Amino acid sequence: MPPAVSIHELRAREGRAKRGWIGLVLSTLLMVGFLWFLTQSWVIAVSLMFALLVHEYGHVLAMNRLGMGPARIYVIPFLGGLAKATHEPKNEWIGVLVSLAGPAFGLLAMVPLVAIGLATGDGQWMAAAFFVAMLNLINLVPAPPLDGSKALGPVLARVHPQLEKLVLLVIGVAVVVWGITTGRYILAVFLGLAIWGHLSKGGLRSVTGPLSWKQAGLSLGLFVLTAVACGGAAVASLLALNGGSGQASVDMIARYLGIAL
């Protein structure tokens, strides 16, 4: 039988759980305020916060299901969210599934936004749905520490470990430059520091349980499918917002990405 837990230990656990909930609430409120400052819209700010929590909950569900739990969500003000597991994945295949679970599950956050937008005719809700889709799509960029690097990195490492480092470095630098040139300075600094820390390690991950060639093919397919779903959802939300005008939708995406057409 497992040893009995003392009353002191139970109270300590309850205290940690209470402090954890208080920290999550305060961090969430601070993050919502920051999102409002960036967007000047409470509808978009609250929607993005909701989408962030749904995205991270997708990771948590996968972690708990695949033997990495118990997992919990942390909100990092000004940066985003983090799902943290108790145990490391047993192999790379599990790591890929967990990384893709966030963006895939995160698209569900669009459902109530689109429903409200169609019911009320308020374009802010459809704009919020677009930002939610882009939030999940950007997370698939293969630059550390975004989900894309954890999903695509093992596939590249299956070919050669140095290929993974080279691709992540090139894409990471490109994303940092994009962030600086489009005024997304917080994102640029955050990714720059993350890339430096990630690539300075001797190895990007444990050598145990690498992907088989079959798993690498499946991982690549799931990655592409998730990216297409996120991109398609973004375009669909803009078409609804712009009355079906493809040109207006393309122009909005270009403005969002800081591209001059």
Short mmCIF file of all heavy atoms in Angstrom, two decimals, residues 28 45-46 79 83 107 222:
data_model
loop_
_atom_site.label_atom_id
_atom_site.label_comp_id
_atom_site.label_asym_id
_atom_site.label_seq_id
_atom_site.Cartn_x
_atom_site.Cartn_y
_atom_site.Cartn_z
N THR A 28 -3.94 35.61 -16.67
CA THR A 28 -4.92 35.70 -17.75
C THR A 28 -5.45 37.11 -17.89
O THR A 28 -5.56 37.64 -19.01
CB THR A 28 -6.08 34.72 -17.48
OG1 THR A 28 -5.58 33.38 -17.43
CG2 THR A 28 -7.14 34.82 -18.58
N ALA A 45 -9.64 40.72 -28.05
CA ALA A 45 -8.74 40.40 -26.94
C ALA A 45 -9.23 39.18 -26.17
O ALA A 45 -8.47 38.24 -25.90
CB ALA A 45 -8.62 41.61 -26.01
N VAL A 46 -10.53 39.18 -25.81
CA VAL A 46 -11.08 38.05 -25.05
C VAL A 46 -11.10 36.79 -25.91
O VAL A 46 -10.83 35.68 -25.42
CB VAL A 46 -12.49 38.40 -24.54
CG1 VAL A 46 -13.16 37.18 -23.91
CG2 VAL A 46 -12.43 39.53 -23.53
N LEU A 79 3.56 37.16 -23.67
CA LEU A 79 4.17 36.19 -24.58
C LEU A 79 3.19 35.13 -25.06
O LEU A 79 3.17 34.79 -26.24
CB LEU A 79 5.37 35.51 -23.92
CG LEU A 79 6.58 36.41 -23.65
CD1 LEU A 79 7.67 35.63 -22.93
CD2 LEU A 79 7.12 37.00 -24.95
N ALA A 83 1.88 24.70 -21.97
CA ALA A 83 1.37 23.47 -21.36
C ALA A 83 2.58 22.66 -20.88
O ALA A 83 3.46 22.33 -21.68
CB ALA A 83 0.55 22.68 -22.35
N LEU A 107 -8.28 25.19 -33.22
CA LEU A 107 -9.23 25.66 -34.22
C LEU A 107 -10.67 25.59 -33.72
O LEU A 107 -11.54 26.30 -34.22
CB LEU A 107 -9.09 24.85 -35.51
CG LEU A 107 -7.84 25.11 -36.36
CD1 LEU A 107 -7.85 24.22 -37.59
CD2 LEU A 107 -7.76 26.58 -36.77
N LEU A 222 0.69 14.83 -41.13
CA LEU A 222 -0.15 15.48 -40.12
C LEU A 222 0.20 16.96 -39.99
O LEU A 222 -0.69 17.80 -39.79
CB LEU A 222 0.04 14.78 -38.77
CG LEU A 222 -0.58 13.38 -38.64
CD1 LEU A 222 -0.19 12.75 -37.31
CD2 LEU A 222 -2.11 13.46 -38.77
#
